[in-house]
Amino acid sequence: METTRPLQLTEQERERSLSNLKLERDAVVLYERLAEIESEASRQAAFRRIAANERRHADIWATRLEEAGVTVPPADAPRARVKLIIWLARRFGTRRVAGLVRALEGDEEEAYAEQLDAQTAAIAADEREHAQIWDDLGSNDDASGAAEGRRGQAAKGREAWHTAGRSGTLRAAVFGANDGLVSNLSLVMGVAGAVTDNNLIVLAGVAGLLAGAFSMSAGEYISMQSQRELFQRQIAIEREEMRVMPEEEERELAAIYRSKGVPRAEADRIAAHLMQDPEKALDTKVREELGLDPDELGSPWGAAWSSFIAFAAGAIVPLTPFLLLSGMAAFVSALAASFVALFVVGALVSLVTGRGLLFSGSRQVAIGAIAAAVTYAIGSLIGMQVG
């Protein structure tokens, strides 16, 4: 009797299959929890559908490992990143974590894109389908909810997780906290290296906090407002051109679609159809011709306030120990508190960037530590010269 030979996997393939199994199991937990948290029936059903897909993917990898004679490990707790998303969803709702979930799904799609075989290609196709499901969920939140509108946004939905976290407010908050931590830690360490008077260190820390927070807030406002005004002017010019010379604009729309490989007759038909709704035609021209997304202009005031609060929150960390303690106790406490805060900021950044939590957190700590060491050394040198 012929016996079936076990599946042969290289060490790299075995490790990759185990990693894929972990990814899928984490996704099952995530979507099952989102379904439990969500109260809207249509969204619950969507989350359960994705969870079922992820469970099927996990079974594929478990079977593959078993066929290769590898002991399949029992399911363990999900990654910290998944736990945090679930925690945020419980407190703020599933809509608030959509960008983070999309970024997580994007990691899966990119991981499978690097594994070129029939099995991973099929799973990657499912992951792309999940993008469409998320797009439909977003469209259902719109009052129109029209099927045509959902189809019109499909491409945007498929790419949404590649641009998640790009909004000005989020960017300002993350960089504001990081800048507040690093700049005030460096300032406080530099002054602490030069003097031993606790009052002078506190004075410098408070001045650094206020100056940095106001400066960054003003800079973010001016930057985003200028960008917004530029975009609005470009959109206004395009709107006026569509009003004054609609025939020319229709020809430009058709040319855009022809450049994408659409046959001339079909491109002309699409352009004529879009021109029946000037706002849809304008939206298409703005996105395709100018490369702008009207939905991502951002709020200058939101960015300014987020930047101010985040900078101040970061800058207060190395200052607080000197408000409560003095001498070496304050010095060591300031360093310890700042390094913990830097790690947390780096870990939060990893939710959007997709890099490992440990890597991102450790990188932020290393950058802060180097900056603090350099300014402390310079402060000590200046203190010696002055003294």
Side-chain angles (χ1 to χ4, degrees):
M1 179 181 295
E2 184 179 351
T3 58
T4 303
R5 295 180 59 186
L7 177 67
Q8 299 296 315
L9 294 179
T10 65
E11 182 66 21
Q12 182 181 14
E13 289 172 335
R14 186 181 71 86
E15 293 301 322
R16 183 174 287 174
S17 296
L18 287 169
S19 176
N20 292 341
L21 176 62
K22 173 63 175 172
L23 277 176
E24 300 298 349
R25 283 175 168 175
D26 283 1
V28 172
V29 174
L30 173 62
Y31 281 105
E32 285 181 342
R33 297 298 176 272
L34 290 180
E36 293 172 1
I37 295 166
E38 181 58 55
S39 58
E40 188 177 317
S42 61
R43 294 175 65 85
Q44 280 183 351
F47 294 146
R48 291 195 177 100
R49 176 182 172 188
I50 299 177
N53 280 346
E54 305 289 14
R55 190 176 294 105
R56 179 167 53 81
H57 298 166
D59 290 341
I60 289 173
W61 295 115
T63 300
R64 186 177 190 181
L65 289 165
E66 288 172 351
E67 291 176 351
V70 179
T71 301
V72 178
D76 56 0
R79 290 164 290 163
R81 187 178 175 191
V82 174
K83 288 181 178 178
L84 180 58
I85 293 174
I86 294 171
W87 183 86
L88 291 171
R90 290 190 187 282
R91 280 148 186 79
F92 305 108
T94 62
R95 287 179 174 81
R96 295 290 186 181
V97 299
L100 299 179
V101 178
R102 287 183 172 194
L104 193 68
E105 284 275 13
D107 293 346
E108 289 189 56
E109 184 182 346
E110 290 172 5
Y112 287 133
E114 297 172 359
Q115 305 172 41
L116 301 178
D117 57 47
Q119 203 165 47
T120 54
I123 296 176
D126 283 344
E127 300 301 340
R128 289 191 292 273
E129 181 190 4
H130 297 171
Q132 181 62 62
I133 293 175
W134 271 105
D135 180 61
D136 289 341
L137 291 177
S139 297
N140 288 337
D141 291 338
D142 192 335
S144 65
E148 183 175 346
R150 291 197 297 272
R151 288 194 298 272
Q153 294 295 318
K156 178 183 175 184
R158 281 190 291 272
E159 293 300 320
W161 47 46
H162 297 298
T163 59
R166 252 186 0 190
S167 69
T169 301
L170 176 60
R171 176 177 58 84
V174 171
F175 284 103
N178 182 68
D179 286 354
L181 269 166
V182 175
S183 65
N184 225 33
L185 173 62
S186 301
L187 175 62
V188 168
M189 290 298 108
V191 176
V195 301
T196 57
D197 189 333
N198 209 66
N199 290 330
L200 289 178
I201 297 173
V202 169
L203 178 62
V206 171
L209 184 156
L210 293 174
F214 278 110
S215 175
M216 178 164 256
S217 178
E220 281 291 338
Y221 177 85
I222 293 171
S223 174
M224 287 205 66
Q225 182 63 22
S226 299
Q227 176 180 276
R228 187 181 182 89
E229 289 171 354
L230 172 62
F231 288 174
Q232 288 174 335
R233 173 171 171 74
Q234 290 177 304
I235 293 171
I237 291 173
E238 196 66 42
R239 178 180 282 110
E240 182 64 14
E241 288 178 351
M242 294 189 72
R243 185 185 69 82
V244 174
M245 43 185 181
E247 295 84 3
E248 178 63 26
E249 293 300 300
E250 183 174 331
R251 285 194 290 271
E252 289 184 9
L253 275 172
I256 289 172
Y257 285 102
R258 287 200 303 274
S259 70
K260 296 177 180 295
V262 178
R264 175 180 291 272
E266 181 67 11
D268 291 344
R269 187 190 67 79
I270 294 173
H273 177 72
L274 284 173
M275 289 299 292
Q276 293 176 12
D277 186 334
E279 286 304 312
K280 282 186 180 179
L282 175 64
D283 184 80
T284 301
K285 286 293 298 293
V286 167
R287 293 176 189 275
E288 298 292 342
E289 187 175 280
L290 303 180
L292 303 179
D293 186 346
D295 298 330
E296 291 188 358
L297 296 184
S299 166
W301 282 111
W305 279 110
S306 295
S307 181
F308 183 94
I309 294 170
F311 187 98
I316 196 67
V317 173
L319 175 61
T320 300
F322 288 96
L323 294 172
L324 304 176
L325 305 168
S326 61
M328 184 57 66
F331 182 86
V332 173
S333 297
L335 283 176
S338 297
F339 290 163
V340 170
L342 283 166
F343 186 89
V344 171
V345 169
L348 290 174
V349 170
S350 74
L351 291 175
V352 174
T353 63
R355 298 301 299 267
L357 184 148
L358 185 61
F359 171 82
S360 295
S362 300
R363 180 174 60 183
Q364 293 295 108
V365 172
I367 292 171
I370 292 171
V374 170
T375 54
Y376 180 80
I378 294 173
S380 297
L381 182 62
I382 293 175
M384 291 172 57
Q385 297 296 325
V386 172

